[in-house]
Amino acid sequence: MDSRTDELDERQAVTDAISVTYVLGSGGGAGERTAARLERVAGDVPIAVTPTTDPMSVSDDAGCVVAETGLHGVDIVSVVARLADADVPVVVVDDPDGSVAAGSAIDAGATAHVRARPDGDTARVLANRVRAAVERRRDRESMSHTERRLRRVIDSLPQCVLEKTLDGEYLLVNDSGASNYGLDPDAVEGHREDEFLPPDLVERFHREDEQVIADDEALHIPEQHVDDRVIGDDRVEEVYKLPFDDPDTDADTVLTVVADVTTAYERRHRLAGAATHIEDAISQMASADPDHDRIRSLLDAAHEYAVGDSERAVGPQ
């Protein structure tokens, strides 16, 4: 199933019937009547209710669980905690004397709490709570799906993409960035750059990051020469650094995108070296007494630069 099919399923799921397991307490017929009425007052989004008196039979993949506080010989808190760990929405229903148990259930991870109403309208209130709880869960799942897609996108990029705090902590590193350390992203994220880089590079990058935050604007470094003592691969990089507002942290963060431009850099300098030798050869040919051996030597050197055979073409010019 491709990502477009996944998205279609998510959009369709919003209007699908909500499957509710209703765990009846020891209160008898009142809970059964509420469970039956819940289906009838569901509104635009149907609610399919399956009643049970056995809370331990509730599956961790249930769509939503409604649990009364007075369960048969089972502590509701333990039931709620298990389901909350599985990200199952749990709505607790209690009678006027059950507020302590309901409060403990909320602390254990219950999504919402409904007090049984003497006017018999508990089901209508409950239907609203169930719809809201399931919608929040679907929103989380949709967001998680979107985050996974974005993660696949950045991990497929050849450029190094990373987010870092001013303290040097990596909050996000893609596959290409982590490979610079010979590691996977999980082994880099949550760690500080001074755990991987020598002090001079750490200080240099920190100054750049501070400048980005202080100026509140992007920093472009067309050619950054890196003497990589981590994996022993010297290279030339083009770097963009941008201030980044991360909603998951109050810290100032910088988003950095780094492209390896070593090949283009060397090609440009090879061509520049070739052009210089050709100009010298032309000058020699235009002289009153041209030195043909010198001209041939210059043209041979130009050829070496152009095709990359000359060691003189490697490194800063």
Side-chain angles (χ1 to χ4, degrees), residues 295-313:
I295 292 171
R296 181 178 297 278
S297 175
L298 289 169
L299 292 177
D300 286 344
H303 178 267
E304 291 176 353
Y305 267 100
V307 299
D309 289 340
S310 174
E311 292 182 358
R312 291 170 294 178

Side-chain angles (χ1 to χ4, degrees), residues 99-118:
S99 58
V100 175
S104 298
I106 291 293
D107 291 341
T111 311
H113 163 229
V114 173
R115 181 68 55 80
R117 297 167 63 101

Side-chain angles (χ1 to χ4, degrees), residues 14 132-145:
V14 174
V134 171
E135 192 65 30
R136 284 195 294 271
R137 180 191 186 183
R138 289 173 176 172
D139 287 346
R140 288 196 303 273
E141 291 173 345
S142 177
M143 180 64 71
S144 177
H145 175 75

Side-chain angles (χ1 to χ4, degrees), residues 20-40:
V20 172
T21 301
Y22 196 114
V23 184
L24 297 167
S26 56
E32 294 176 356
R33 289 191 295 272
T34 299
R37 182 169 166 74
L38 182 57
E39 291 186 331
R40 297 197 298 271

Side-chain angles (χ1 to χ4, degrees), residues 235-270:
R235 60 191 182 275
V236 182
E237 300 173 334
E238 181 178 16
V239 181
Y240 286 91
K241 293 192 171 189
L242 308 91
F244 186 67
D245 184 11
D246 188 332
D248 293 331
T249 177
D250 294 329
D252 291 325
T253 64
V254 174
L255 182 66
T256 302
V257 180
V258 182
D260 188 334
V261 295
T262 305
T263 300
Y265 172 86
E266 292 180 347
R267 183 186 301 116
R268 185 171 67 254
H269 284 276
R270 285 200 303 269

Side-chain angles (χ1 to χ4, degrees), residues 2-317:
D2 62 26
S3 60
R4 287 173 296 180
T5 304
D6 289 342
E7 291 170 1
L8 180 61
D9 288 346
E10 285 182 1
R11 291 193 295 270
Q12 183 64 40
V14 174
T15 59
D16 285 348
I18 298 173
S19 176
V20 172
T21 301
Y22 196 114
V23 184
L24 297 167
S26 56
E32 294 176 356
R33 289 191 295 272
T34 299
R37 182 169 166 74
L38 182 57
E39 291 186 331
R40 297 197 298 271
V41 300
D44 294 338
V45 180
I47 296 178
V49 180
T50 302
T52 180
T53 58
D54 181 9
M56 304 312 295
S57 68
V58 179
S59 170
D60 287 352
D61 59 2
C64 182
V65 173
V66 174
E68 297 183 344
T69 53
L71 300 182
H72 294 271
V74 178
D75 179 12
I76 190 172
V77 173
S78 62
V79 175
V80 169
R82 173 175 67 85
L83 296 172
D85 286 344
D87 199 26
V88 176
V90 181
V91 180
V92 175
V93 180
D94 71 336
D95 57 36
D97 297 327
S99 58
V100 175
S104 298
I106 291 293
D107 291 341
T111 311
H113 163 229
V114 173
R115 181 68 55 80
R117 297 167 63 101
D119 59 7
D121 205 26
T122 306
R124 192 176 302 279
V125 177
L126 187 56
N128 291 333
R129 297 289 194 277
V130 166
R131 281 194 295 268
V134 171
E135 192 65 30
R136 284 195 294 271
R137 180 191 186 183
R138 289 173 176 172
D139 287 346
R140 288 196 303 273
E141 291 173 345
S142 177
M143 180 64 71
S144 177
H145 175 75
T146 300
E147 289 175 350
R148 288 195 300 272
R149 289 185 62 208
L150 289 174
R151 183 77 207 202
R152 288 197 297 269
V153 168
I154 68 166
D155 279 338
S156 69
L157 294 173
Q159 293 87 359
C160 164
V161 179
L162 59 92
E163 179 194 357
K164 191 176 55 176
T165 68
L166 284 182
D167 291 334
E169 180 185 356
Y170 290 112
L171 302 182
L172 180 145
V173 181
N174 70 342
D175 280 343
S176 179
S179 69
N180 287 333
Y181 303 135
L183 299 169
D184 293 326
D186 288 344
V188 179
E189 292 173 351
H191 294 267
R192 292 163 53 99
E193 64 183 348
D194 57 13
E195 299 177 46
F196 307 102
L197 297 174
D200 57 330
L201 285 182
V202 172
E203 177 59 27
R204 170 178 160 187
F205 295 158
H206 179 68
R207 287 197 305 270
E208 294 170 356
D209 293 346
E210 283 190 320
Q211 177 184 339
V212 169
I213 295 300
D215 295 344
D216 194 27
E217 62 182 27
L219 172 66
H220 178 217
I221 306 172
E223 291 181 359
Q224 173 175 272
H225 295 267
V226 178
D227 176 12
D228 197 325
R229 283 152 278 180
V230 178
I231 60 176
D233 181 22
D234 298 345
R235 60 191 182 275
V236 182
E237 300 173 334
E238 181 178 16
V239 181
Y240 286 91
K241 293 192 171 189
L242 308 91
F244 186 67
D245 184 11
D246 188 332
D248 293 331
T249 177
D250 294 329
D252 291 325
T253 64
V254 174
L255 182 66
T256 302
V257 180
V258 182
D260 188 334
V261 295
T262 305
T263 300
Y265 172 86
E266 292 180 347
R267 183 186 301 116
R268 185 171 67 254
H269 284 276
R270 285 200 303 269
L271 293 177
T276 298
H277 287 296
I278 291 173
E279 290 173 358
D280 290 345
I282 292 173
S283 297
Q284 184 63 226
M285 286 186 288
S287 66
D289 184 20
D291 184 339
H292 295 287
D293 290 337
R294 173 64 176 160
I295 292 171
R296 181 178 297 278
S297 175
L298 289 169
L299 292 177
D300 286 344
H303 178 267
E304 291 176 353
Y305 267 100
V307 299
D309 289 340
S310 174
E311 292 182 358
R312 291 170 294 178
V314 179
Q317 302 296 310

